[in-house]
């Protein structure tokens, strides 16, 4: 599965953006998918994951209540709706699939991501 994130941009604090991640391949619906981000000079940070059927979701505490993950398996696409954005949300955002070696269902394989999309939140 190859992944391509899009939808980033410049937004004021308190604003919203929706990111999309298009995936290639015919087995997209079998994969747990998710998002992570990396700000300049910082470690990669898990944000959210969604089960293959879209029933189960998981969020990092830093985005819980503000971000919503969803997916459309007919379009091979996973989304991240980001509301109430803060300057500290500024980062490159990437989508990834589940780490097949992880015990937790929501752990992502950061190495599976494609190019990220930049989100900049101004204060």
């Amino acid at each position: 599965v190859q992944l391509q994130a899009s939808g980033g941009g410049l937004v004021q604090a308190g604003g919203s953006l929706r990111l999309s991640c298009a995936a290639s391949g015919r087995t997209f619906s079998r994969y747990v998918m998710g998002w992570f981000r990396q700000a300049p000079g910082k470690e990669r940070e898990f944000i959210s994951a969604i089960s293959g059927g879209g029933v189960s979701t998981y969020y990092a505490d830093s985005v819980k209540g503000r971000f919503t993950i969803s997916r459309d398996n007919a379009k091979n696409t996973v989304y991240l709706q980001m509301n109430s954005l803060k300057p500290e949300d500024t980062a490159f955002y990437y989508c990834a699939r589940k780490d097949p070696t992880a015990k937790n269902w929501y752990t992502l394989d950061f190495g599976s991501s494609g190019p990220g999309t930049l989100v900049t939140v101004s204060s």
Side-chain angles (χ1 to χ4, degrees), residues 58-111:
Y58 189 86
Y59 297 93
D61 288 343
S62 59
V63 305
K64 198 174 295 182
R66 300 189 298 124
F67 291 10
T68 302
I69 191 171
S70 62
R71 66 191 296 161
D72 185 338
N73 287 339
K75 296 182 179 180
N76 275 20
T77 302
V78 60
Y79 304 99
L80 186 69
Q81 177 66 44
M82 306 186 295
N83 299 329
S84 302
L85 283 161
K86 305 174 182 180
E88 52 263 44
D89 293 318
T90 295
F92 279 95
Y93 284 70
Y94 303 84
C95 58
R97 62 180 182 181
K98 181 188 182 302
D99 181 348
T101 67
K103 291 183 178 180
N104 291 324
W105 72 267
Y106 52 81
T107 300
L108 302 178
D109 174 9
F110 290 168

